Amino acid sequence: MLLGEVREEIVEVCRRLSDAGLLPGTAGNVSVRVGDHVAVTPSGLDYARMTADLVGVHLLDGTPVEAPLAPTSEMPLHLAVYAATETSAIVHTHSTAATVLSTLVDELPAIHYMVALFDGPVPVTPYATYGTPELADNAVRALRGSAGCILGNHGTVTIGPDLRTACTRNEYLEWVSELYLRAASVGRPRLLDAEEIKRVADKLSGYGQEPPR
């Protein structure tokens, strides 16, 4: 099976995110780029039924190579991000807190030092219909200066040099979004300045851009 280990990892990550409530139903999608190929989740398949052989492998132009099912409807987003960046993995979720936040603000501010995972406040993109070139373009613009973004009225996108990093960033993006919503519901949150976020980002770089465990 082509890219067998990568496809197995995608299944594991999807189940992890689904169990965490970040992928309701069949929403969301995950991909990994390896050379000229992209392994990506199929469209409309329940994550409990997903197996490695059902995760499709495509060329970077979207041509199927080993793909028994149609790819995610957000394939244009994945391919556009890979074309515009050097990232090797993409995680797109429909997490609740981040999506709620996207209806209220234009960015997730530095309420916690873990926004350093994204090099600072996380941008919220304008709304665009799912699966469209407009949505893909909005994400690409936001990800040129960040390792993550929140799609307006939609969900989240995080990227990374590997799938583990992209997944961890997505989990933290949801957690920090929830933190902000709770704080903002009772008052005006105190925010961290850019100097502190830079200081934390430098510390995190010693852990391969992952928080210490």
Side-chain angles (χ1 to χ4, degrees), residues 35-96:
D36 295 331
H37 294 84
V38 176
V40 63
T41 50
S43 178
L45 182 64
D46 189 287
Y47 292 107
R49 296 175 50 229
M50 186 179 294
T51 55
D53 61 304
L54 296 178
V55 174
V57 176
H58 301 254
L59 296 178
L60 287 172
D61 64 2
T63 302
V65 175
E66 193 172 289
L69 301 175
T72 169
S73 59
E74 295 297 0
M75 188 67 155
L77 182 154
H78 289 257
L79 297 181
V81 172
Y82 286 130
T85 72
E86 295 299 317
T87 194
S88 296
I90 300 171
V91 172
H92 167 45
T93 71
H94 288 189
S95 57
T96 301

Side-chain angles (χ1 to χ4, degrees), residues 6 11 13 15 25 53 61 66 70 77 82 86-87 94 131 143 146 152 163 167 172 193 201 207:
V6 170
V11 172
V13 164
R15 288 179 180 165
D53 61 304
D61 64 2
E66 193 172 289
L77 182 154
Y82 286 130
E86 295 299 317
T87 194
H94 288 189
L143 293 170
S146 178
L163 188 51
C167 177
Y172 270 101
D193 60 27
Y207 296 94

Side-chain angles (χ1 to χ4, degrees), residues 92-174:
H92 167 45
T93 71
H94 288 189
S95 57
T96 301
T99 304
V100 170
L101 184 142
S102 79
T103 70
L104 301 170
V105 297
D106 294 326
E107 68 175 16
L108 171 61
I111 190 173
H112 190 276
Y113 62 79
M114 289 310 293
V115 300
L117 287 172
F118 311 97
D119 294 324
V122 180
V124 175
T125 72
Y127 175 78
T129 305
Y130 78 90
T132 61
E134 182 183 4
L135 179 73
D137 289 344
N138 289 346
V140 166
R141 281 195 293 271
L143 293 170
R144 285 200 173 109
S146 178
C149 68
I150 304 174
L151 305 175
N153 301 75
H154 184 151
T156 68
V157 178
T158 52
I159 60 177
D162 51 65
L163 188 51
R164 177 182 176 183
T165 300
C167 177
T168 297
R169 285 172 173 165
N170 207 283
E171 291 168 326
Y172 270 101
L173 181 52
E174 175 67 1

Side-chain angles (χ1 to χ4, degrees), residues 110 112-113 115-116 119-121 191-204:
H112 190 276
Y113 62 79
V115 300
D119 294 324
L191 303 178
L192 302 176
D193 60 27
E195 182 178 347
E196 174 59 13
I197 299 307
K198 174 63 165 58
R199 184 180 298 114
V200 174
D202 290 342
K203 288 172 67 70
L204 290 175

